[in-house]
Amino acid sequence: MNAVTVVIGSICILLIAYRLYGTFMAAKVLKLNESIPTPAHTLEDGKDYVPTNKWVTFGHHFAAIAAAGPLVGPILAAQFGYLPGLLWLLIGAVVGGAVHDAVVLFASMRQDGKSLSEVAKKELGPVAGFCTGLAMLFIITITMAGLSMVVLHALENNPWGTFAVGITIPIAMGVGIYHKLTGNLKWATIVGFILIMAGIFLGPQIQNTAFGDFLSLEASTLALILPIYAFFAAALPVWLLLAPRDYLSTFMKIGVFIALIIGVFVVNPDIQFPAFTEFINGGGPIVAGPVWPFISITIACGAISGFHAFVGSGTTPKMLNRWSDIKPVAFGAMLVECLVAIMALIAAVALQPGDYFAINSSPEVFETLGMQTVHLGELSKEIGMDLEGRTGGAVTLAVGMTYIFTAIPWFEKLASYFFQFVILFEAVFILTAIDSGTRVARYLIQDFFGEFYKPLKRVDWLPGNLFASALACFVWGYLLYSGDISSIWALFGVSNQLMASIGLIVGTTVILKIADKRWYILTCLIPLAYLYITVNVAGYWMVKNVYLNSASAGYSVINGVLSIIMLVLGLIIIVTSIKKWTELWKIPQAELAAQSTKSA
């Protein structure tokens, strides 16, 4: 099979799903009413609540939800073969992810754009609301560790990549200061982008120098640097570092995504992987567990992701100009993210299996697989860096894209530049997710612990800001420093998909209240049933076989305790929800819909 066939078929499926299922969700299930003003209008303040063009909102929402997850998850899941990942992406995104994102955004907008924990408190009661808030705090922390792990091995002993990524910090701060002083966004953008590109091309000049040796950092050192960076990004004013970094990285993401699609159509690479590998029953070097439940845990973003609930009940519901914008902004953005994930999967499975496993396994583990590399030695020479044992997914994506691009005659001598640009692209986007996520974690910590110490709730109180930022960075930094990609990514996947289950629980409750036909709850209940069972099976498997198994390489009591806490929180929420659904089911549908309309 060739890659173009997969891309064309996937695009057709996603377009049909958007046109038919997306319209059904908007018109029949959610009953979007254009005569009702959105929170952006009723609460307009010129700061947070601002009616915004739907395509501008789409751009914001897509950039916020599509971080490193859709790039990394499919690459790690390629261990099972190309077909499990492809099927889960298409089915999961259409049946689960797009529905989840749409109903969470709708539910938040019904409650004036409040967070999912506040919506859960309103729809399900105080117990579910408290557990949802606590779960969100755990999940955002684990997410930061999982995303940081991805970039760790990409920059390990890679002075060129470290320099190119590091230089973006002062560049972003310079852009922020210049724009703050002059208000000139055009020149700030032009100069910032030129300087970033210059950083890539200057990279080779520092290799084999004293400065290059200084930037040749071990993974353990990088695991300390990343949380320190995140602390400053979370504590500094948003306009100084976080906002300009987000802005500049958006250009990279759009450019790389378009380039990869064009490259696939021009080169039309053959898929080298089998549909299923020998690791579908478990025992793989990347993901130890079997294809189910771990295909749905390893690939979260791109199929269905609870992290999207942070955005769908955060900034986006305060920006939508019309209720009908939910379809393109939430349902549509999820399907576009699915396409991004499919492109990442193609970049991985276009490599020879031996090359793929050599990159994603330690040399000692790779020797036990009985495989031989094919093009990896040649690619390592062209790129100028040893590629073996660089786990985490980031290097695999960069190598896969480089392999595709250098098949074009014009670019065959530019392997090293393509590779480092993709590394920069991934790392900058991951750092963007890290600093944004750490800032969200800081807000959640202040809000949660502010119930016990009131001054902490004040976001303008400097000691509280510093304490919450430091606590957030310490917790996820500890997970990063003590873990490895297989254990951290699985922990991230379980917690993230549990968050998606919570989003679907809230969606089921809202639909039960407003729907004309009660069977419409199946739009949320079917993916919820699958996802909740999958999360619990995966969580139990990881606790039993990895986290609390002293003979396992991923043995970690803290990871085991976190997993158990998350699963218990999920159980409390689902039990509370079933009790609430039973109460609602006894009320006649017409009466329930009328009550819901009045209370919304």
Side-chain angles (χ1 to χ4, degrees):
M1 181 180 291
N2 56 57
V4 169
T5 302
V6 174
V7 173
I8 293 176
S10 299
I11 290 174
C12 290
I13 291 172
L14 297 175
L15 286 175
I16 292 171
Y18 177 78
R19 179 67 180 87
L20 298 181
Y21 197 36
T23 301
F24 170 74
M25 287 296 302
K28 297 293 186 181
V29 179
L30 301 180
K31 299 188 298 183
L32 301 182
N33 188 346
E34 295 294 76
S35 65
I36 302 175
T38 65
H41 288 280
T42 58
L43 300 173
E44 184 175 0
D45 59 7
K47 181 182 178 182
D48 295 314
Y49 290 86
V50 181
T52 308
N53 176 277
K54 68 178 178 181
W55 298 119
V56 175
T57 309
F58 174 92
H60 157 76
H61 186 81
F62 176 73
I65 66 172
L71 303 177
V72 174
I75 287 173
L76 300 178
Q79 167 193 278
F80 300 116
Y82 74 83
L83 192 56
L86 181 61
L87 290 176
W88 168 240
L89 283 168
L90 291 173
I91 297 172
V94 173
V95 178
V99 171
H100 168 273
D101 290 10
V103 297
V104 167
L105 180 55
F106 176 77
S108 178
M109 290 176 66
R110 276 171 46 87
Q111 304 299 333
D112 295 332
K114 292 180 180 178
S115 70
L116 191 63
S117 61
E118 292 297 316
V119 175
K121 186 185 298 182
K122 172 75 173 180
E123 301 291 354
L124 298 170
V127 174
F130 174 82
C131 290
T132 299
L134 191 57
M136 291 176 74
L137 188 58
F138 275 105
I139 288 165
I140 194 69
T141 301
I142 295 168
T143 298
M144 295 304 97
L147 294 179
S148 300
M149 182 63 71
V150 174
V151 75
L152 211 60
H153 295 299
L155 298 182
E156 181 183 6
N157 295 317
N158 179 9
W160 185 353
T162 303
F163 172 76
V165 171
I167 200 68
T168 63
I169 297 174
I171 291 173
M173 295 179 71
V175 167
I177 294 171
Y178 179 80
H179 182 244
K180 182 76 171 178
L181 294 176
T182 67
N184 191 325
L185 182 60
K186 177 181 177 181
W187 278 108
T189 303
I190 293 172
V191 173
F193 187 74
I194 291 174
L195 289 175
I196 288 176
M197 296 306 297
I200 299 173
F201 286 96
L202 285 174
Q205 310 303 318
I206 70 166
Q207 295 193 119
N208 301 318
T209 66
F211 187 50
D213 293 338
F214 175 75
L215 293 179
S216 295
L217 304 175
E218 298 294 334
S220 57
T221 304
L222 290 166
L224 295 174
I225 292 175
L226 286 175
I228 293 173
Y229 157 76
F231 168 79
F232 287 102
L236 287 172
V238 68
W239 58 265
L240 182 57
L241 179 57
L242 189 146
R245 175 182 284 283
D246 282 357
Y247 177 72
L248 291 174
S249 66
T250 299
F251 288 95
M252 289 190 186
K253 184 150 202 172
I254 293 173
V256 171
F257 175 56
I258 293 174
L260 180 56
I261 293 180
I262 294 173
V264 167
F265 272 88
V266 172
V267 177
N268 191 17
D270 289 329
I271 293 177
Q272 303 295 333
F273 269 56
F276 300 96
T277 68
E278 61 189 281
F279 302 116
I280 59 171
N281 295 318
I286 303 166
V287 180
V291 66
W292 187 84
F294 285 96
I295 190 68
S296 302
I297 297 301
T298 307
I299 301 180
C301 303
I304 179 171
S305 171
F307 188 68
H308 295 187
F310 290 95
V311 182
S313 64
T315 53
T316 304
K318 301 175 180 66
M319 298 170 62
L320 257 65
N321 184 44
R322 303 168 62 185
W323 286 90
S324 60
D325 292 348
I326 289 176
K327 179 184 173 183
V329 170
F331 202 95
M334 180 66 245
L335 299 185
V336 174
E337 184 180 2
C338 174
L339 182 59
V340 172
I342 290 171
M343 299 307 298
L345 178 64
I346 288 172
V349 298
L351 295 172
Q352 293 289 338
D355 295 344
Y356 167 87
F357 283 104
I359 296 172
N360 287 283
S361 310
S362 67
E364 296 78 17
V365 172
F366 182 69
E367 287 182 4
T368 68
L369 300 180
M371 297 182 180
Q372 299 295 325
T373 60
V374 180
H375 302 299
L376 193 62
E378 178 184 344
L379 286 168
S380 296
K381 184 177 179 181
E382 292 176 354
I383 291 171
M385 187 176 72
D386 183 14
L387 299 174
E388 292 187 22
R390 291 187 176 267
T391 59
V395 170
T396 305
L397 177 62
V399 172
M401 291 181 66
T402 300
Y403 181 72
I404 292 172
F405 288 142
T406 53
I408 302 173
W410 296 341
F411 302 142
E412 59 184 4
K413 301 297 184 183
L414 298 176
S416 59
Y417 290 97
F418 276 120
F419 177 85
Q420 295 296 352
F421 180 78
V422 177
I423 290 295
L424 172 66
F425 154 73
E426 293 178 284
V428 167
F429 239 86
I430 292 169
L431 289 178
T432 299
I434 290 170
D435 52 31
S436 299
T438 304
R439 203 174 191 94
V440 171
R442 177 195 124 194
Y443 293 148
L444 289 172
I445 289 171
Q446 290 186 261
D447 191 45
F448 189 82
F449 290 103
E451 296 293 334
F452 307 99
Y453 184 64
K454 297 300 181 183
L456 198 58
K457 271 188 174 289
R458 289 170 40 206
V459 295
D460 59 346
W461 187 47
L462 183 59
N465 292 351
L466 295 177
F467 166 76
S469 299
L471 180 60
C473 293
F474 174 79
V475 175
W476 72 253
Y478 174 79
L479 292 175
L480 174 66
Y481 189 82
S482 62
D484 58 55
I485 185 61
S486 59
S487 61
I488 289 292
W489 194 262
L491 182 64
F492 160 65
V494 169
S495 61
N496 188 44
Q497 299 301 55
L498 181 61
M499 190 72 227
S501 299
I502 296 171
L504 289 169
I505 287 171
V506 172
T508 301
T509 309
V510 171
I511 292 173
L512 183 58
K513 288 182 176 181
I514 69 168
D516 294 330
K517 300 178 180 179
R518 281 184 165 167
W519 68 265
Y520 286 168
I521 65 172
L522 293 177
T523 56
C524 285
L525 209 55
I526 290 174
L528 169 60
Y530 170 80
L531 203 60
Y532 186 74
I533 292 171
T534 299
V535 162
N536 280 272
V537 172
Y540 173 77
W541 195 98
M542 289 298 297
V543 169
K544 177 184 177 182
N545 296 290
V546 180
Y547 298 144
L548 299 185
N549 178 9
S550 58
S552 170
Y555 174 72
S556 172
V557 175
I558 184 66
N559 285 3
V561 171
L562 286 174
S563 297
I564 293 171
I565 291 173
M566 293 299 306
L567 295 178
V568 170
L569 288 173
L571 180 62
I572 294 173
I573 294 170
I574 195 71
V575 170
T576 305
S577 303
I578 293 173
K579 181 181 178 182
K580 182 68 174 181
W581 297 340
T582 303
E583 295 173 358
L584 293 174
W585 197 269
K586 297 176 181 178
I587 303 174
Q589 187 65 27
E591 181 182 341
L592 190 60
Q595 292 177 2
S596 180
T597 301
K598 291 179 182 179
S599 62

